Amino acid sequence: MCHADAMSANDSICVLGLGLIGGSLLRAAVTAGRAGFGYNRSGGTVAAARAAGYDADSDLSAVLTRAASENSLIVIATPVTALDSILDAVAHYAPGCALTDVISVKTVVNQAISAHGLSGRYVGGHPMAGTAESGWTATDPKLFTDAIWAVTTDDDADPAVWQMISALALDVGSMVVPIATDDHDRAVAAISHLPHLTAAVTAAVGGGEGALALRLAAGSFRDGTRVAGTPVPLQRAMLESNRPALLTVLSDTIDRLTRARDDLRDAGSVQVVTDDGHRARRRYETMATGEPDPIVGVEIGAPGWTGDLRHQAHLGRVWRG
Amino acid sequence: MCHADAMSANDSICVLGLGLIGGSLLRAAVTAGRAGFGYNRSGGTVAAARAAGYDADSDLSAVLTRAASENSLIVIATPVTALDSILDAVAHYAPGCALTDVISVKTVVNQAISAHGLSGRYVGGHPMAGTAESGWTATDPKLFTDAIWAVTTDDDADPAVWQMISALALDVGSMVVPIATDDHDRAVAAISHLPHLTAAVTAAVGGGEGALALRLAAGSFRDGTRVAGTPVPLQRAMLESNRPALLTVLSDTIDRLTRARDDLRDAGSVQVVTDDGHRARRRYETMATGEPDPIVGVEIGAPGWTGDLRHQAHLGRVWRG
């Protein structure tokens, strides 16, 4: 219902940045039948996208002028470090377009959007999908199938824009999790950014033991350190832009490991840490393998709609339109 | 060559403990054409093994008496917590059999073997294979294909027993890494036991954020916490029996995370930790994806053979017979 509403009139998207996420989104949206075109700074990426049959250009002002004339939904898929220059251009060439992003932190994006006077047409997004690979060559139109797509749902959200962003996520096969900006950043610090740091440290300690130790490495090391292989600039952009939330969960992690070390040293036991981890992992597996319950009974734009969505999302439910 | 030598006269194995590793080994060895039989304390496991066509019994004294009469190679595949009672029985019923184990720590096993007067016929083993699953139902005769099998190679190792153990590992498709007992325990603390603790803590911190956060969890959390799902008693038996080595790498881990926290708090940077992790992960990937160089020019039993094997293994090479 809302899906059809959001698709009415115009389903064109303009993707800024055609790396793994942005490129996959352009491919997925076009595959889903939408009109779509994209921008990338690198001529090589533009050439690769064009060779694959997509409408791409490295002229940002031309792309944004076209987005304004077609009233496209603009999706920012650049690294967070490029955000200010991108928003300068958006504010200049296409200030009236609905606007979202796929960047993995939301507070800093919100602040930048606000500083550029674009808050009224903006609702943030964050597809929880990705690999340790990057760039157009890694793009996959099925990247978002059955993925979770966080959509910021603060009290000042424009219902029409919220529906456009959610409809895009649903169109490419994802499920929407409505979430407040600060809740999002705290959650991804815990379940995405922290795992990058623990993977990095686990890899470094193992690597410090030399070739013999790495030769013995099997499943626990392979899986536990996988994301340490993500290009360092991508990791830094993501983690460093979520500093306050990441510091909180990182301190919690250090405290837990220190207690584990003390228990092992003083009592020879790792019971508490393995029990806590096992219980959390089982809870995650139950959620990840089951079909999520849908959010029900919320009319987008009705009084209290943002709070109602957030309340149900806190129970683990997802928006399916 | 050594393979044929070790197989001469007798290729029978007696597996004590038919869980994931022991059960898979019995299946793999029989699939490879060896004679094999096994013991498990649980009648249910014995019934399941028999139903699958394997020779299994829950009478330990009968199984060991048979091993002695057939001069079988005995493989201890019980949890480390059962080791003393198993070794009491081995020393009583089958003290002359060649003996190995598949337990993930070697110092405590060595000490127990020595305390039972069985050192002369013992060489330790540790296949680097496993999943978060356990028990006979999880067994897989291909579990050891292309896996690494650590074989203890201390200066007092009996060359004939060493060859028997290595031949078994090669027969089930693994590559042998010759390694000193203390080097093994330090290495697995770093590349196997520590990843269980970082997975547990990462899972617990994520789980502490509630259903909404777990709903957002994607690849980094899924892979980074996988082994936290291993049954807690198995994790405890493994980690707690490697206390000194695990304490060392755990302290290193806490130090690295603390430096990362300080860098992030004071300078807004995670460059050092992500650089270190990325470099180690890439090194691991290079080793894991390439074909390992073989150990060459060592005649098992010739003067200095154990040191020669260990030296080449430190370079990342493997023994292929």
Side-chain angles (χ1 to χ4, degrees):
Chain A
M1 163 198 70
C2 69
H3 182 167
D5 291 347
M7 293 279 285
S8 65
N10 186 2
D11 68 354
S12 156
I13 68 166
C14 165
V15 182
L16 307 180
L18 299 176
L20 172 65
I21 303 293
S24 295
L25 179 58
L26 179 60
R27 298 181 65 186
V30 169
T31 301
R34 285 180 175 244
F37 55 101
Y39 154 81
N40 203 81
R41 189 182 57 174
S42 145
T45 294
V46 167
R50 286 181 174 173
Y54 294 92
D55 189 345
D57 203 300
S58 61
D59 181 339
L60 180 58
S61 59
V63 167
L64 287 172
T65 300
R66 177 177 168 194
S69 75
E70 298 184 9
N71 196 25
S72 304
L73 165 61
I74 295 174
V75 183
I76 300 173
T78 61
V80 68
T81 44
L83 191 57
D84 269 322
S85 65
I86 289 285
L87 290 177
D88 281 344
V90 170
H92 190 264
Y93 293 104
C97 287
L99 186 62
T100 189
D101 71 302
V102 291
I103 293 172
S104 65
V105 286
K106 299 273 70 84
T107 303
V108 295
V109 176
N110 246 357
Q111 290 166 344
I113 292 280
S114 178
H116 286 81
L118 295 166
S119 296
R121 299 290 286 157
Y122 169 76
V123 164
H126 180 202
M128 307 305 300
T131 70
E133 305 306 313
S134 61
W136 175 269
T137 53
T139 61
D140 175 2
K142 296 189 185 306
L143 186 66
F144 308 105
T145 304
D146 295 329
I148 292 293
W149 197 302
V151 174
T152 59
T153 308
D154 298 304
D155 285 340
D156 59 353
D158 182 304
V161 176
W162 192 94
Q163 291 227 18
M164 290 177 71
I165 313 309
S166 296
L168 174 61
L170 297 176
D171 271 1
V172 297
S174 294
M175 297 171 278
V176 168
V177 169
I179 190 166
T181 292
D182 53 355
D183 282 347
H184 171 275
D185 286 0
R186 173 75 189 242
V188 296
I191 55 80
S192 170
H193 301 167
L194 175 68
H196 282 77
L197 289 181
T198 49
V201 167
T202 304
V205 171
E209 297 293 312
L212 177 57
L214 287 180
R215 179 60 74 208
L216 298 189
S220 62
F221 187 86
R222 180 192 65 226
D223 291 353
T225 65
R226 181 182 61 80
V227 294
T230 307
V232 168
L234 296 184
Q235 293 191 69
R236 289 190 63 187
M238 183 168 70
L239 274 57
E240 292 172 2
S241 60
N242 198 20
R243 176 155 62 158
L246 183 54
L247 280 172
T248 301
V249 293
L250 184 50
S251 290
D252 185 10
T253 303
I254 293 168
D255 290 347
R256 287 173 184 269
L257 280 174
T258 303
R259 283 199 299 273
R261 197 251 321 260
D262 294 350
D263 282 355
L264 180 60
R265 183 190 59 207
D266 301 337
S269 173
V270 292
Q271 179 168 11
V272 173
V273 60
T274 51
D275 267 348
D276 287 351
H278 189 265
R279 197 179 307 114
R281 171 70 191 185
R282 288 299 186 211
R283 189 174 171 205
Y284 160 73
E285 288 174 355
T286 301
M287 286 189 64
T289 53
E291 186 70 16
D293 288 332
I295 291 172
V296 293
V298 182
E299 186 187 345
I300 305 305
W305 67 280
T306 55
D308 290 347
L309 287 177
R310 293 196 304 264
H311 172 70
Q312 294 196 43
H314 268 288
L315 304 176
R317 297 181 189 166
V318 300
W319 176 257
R320 293 180 177 279
Chain B
M1 166 195 69
C2 68
H3 183 168
D5 291 348
M7 293 278 284
S8 63
N10 186 4
D11 69 353
S12 156
I13 66 166
C14 166
V15 182
L16 306 179
L18 300 175
L20 172 64
I21 303 293
S24 295
L25 179 57
L26 178 61
R27 296 180 65 185
V30 169
T31 301
R34 285 183 176 240
F37 57 101
Y39 154 81
N40 204 81
R41 191 182 54 174
S42 144
T45 294
V46 166
R50 285 181 176 173
Y54 294 92
D55 189 345
D57 203 301
S58 62
D59 182 339
L60 181 57
S61 59
V63 167
L64 287 172
T65 301
R66 177 177 168 193
S69 76
E70 297 185 9
N71 196 25
S72 304
L73 165 60
I74 296 174
V75 182
I76 300 173
T78 60
V80 68
T81 43
L83 191 57
D84 269 321
S85 64
I86 290 285
L87 289 177
D88 282 343
V90 171
H92 188 266
Y93 293 105
C97 286
L99 186 63
T100 189
D101 70 301
V102 292
I103 294 172
S104 67
V105 286
K106 299 272 73 84
T107 302
V108 295
V109 177
N110 246 357
Q111 289 166 345
I113 293 280
S114 178
H116 286 82
L118 294 166
S119 295
R121 298 291 284 158
Y122 170 76
V123 163
H126 180 203
M128 307 306 299
T131 71
E133 305 307 313
S134 61
W136 175 269
T137 53
T139 62
D140 175 2
K142 296 190 187 305
L143 186 66
F144 308 105
T145 304
D146 295 330
I148 293 293
W149 197 301
V151 174
T152 58
T153 309
D154 297 305
D155 286 339
D156 60 354
D158 181 304
V161 176
W162 193 95
Q163 290 227 18
M164 289 177 71
I165 313 310
S166 296
L168 174 61
L170 297 175
D171 270 1
V172 296
S174 294
M175 297 171 279
V176 168
V177 169
I179 191 166
T181 293
D182 53 354
D183 282 347
H184 171 276
D185 286 359
R186 173 75 188 241
V188 296
I191 55 78
S192 171
H193 301 168
L194 175 68
H196 282 78
L197 289 181
T198 50
V201 167
T202 304
V205 170
E209 297 294 312
L212 177 58
L214 287 181
R215 180 60 75 209
L216 299 188
S220 62
F221 188 86
R222 180 191 65 227
D223 292 353
T225 66
R226 182 183 60 80
V227 295
T230 308
V232 168
L234 295 184
Q235 293 191 69
R236 289 189 64 188
M238 183 168 70
L239 275 58
E240 293 172 2
S241 60
N242 198 20
R243 175 155 64 158
L246 184 53
L247 280 172
T248 301
V249 294
L250 184 50
S251 290
D252 184 10
T253 303
I254 293 167
D255 290 346
R256 286 173 183 271
L257 281 174
T258 303
R259 284 198 298 274
R261 196 252 322 261
D262 293 350
D263 283 354
L264 180 60
R265 184 190 58 208
D266 301 337
S269 172
V270 292
Q271 180 169 10
V272 173
V273 61
T274 51
D275 267 349
D276 287 350
H278 189 265
R279 197 179 307 115
R281 172 70 191 184
R282 288 298 186 213
R283 188 172 172 209
Y284 161 73
E285 288 173 354
T286 301
M287 285 189 66
T289 54
E291 185 69 16
D293 288 332
I295 292 173
V296 292
V298 182
E299 185 186 344
I300 305 306
W305 68 280
T306 55
D308 290 346
L309 287 177
R310 292 196 306 263
H311 171 71
Q312 295 196 42
H314 268 287
L315 305 175
R317 297 182 189 166
V318 300
W319 175 256
R320 292 181 180 278

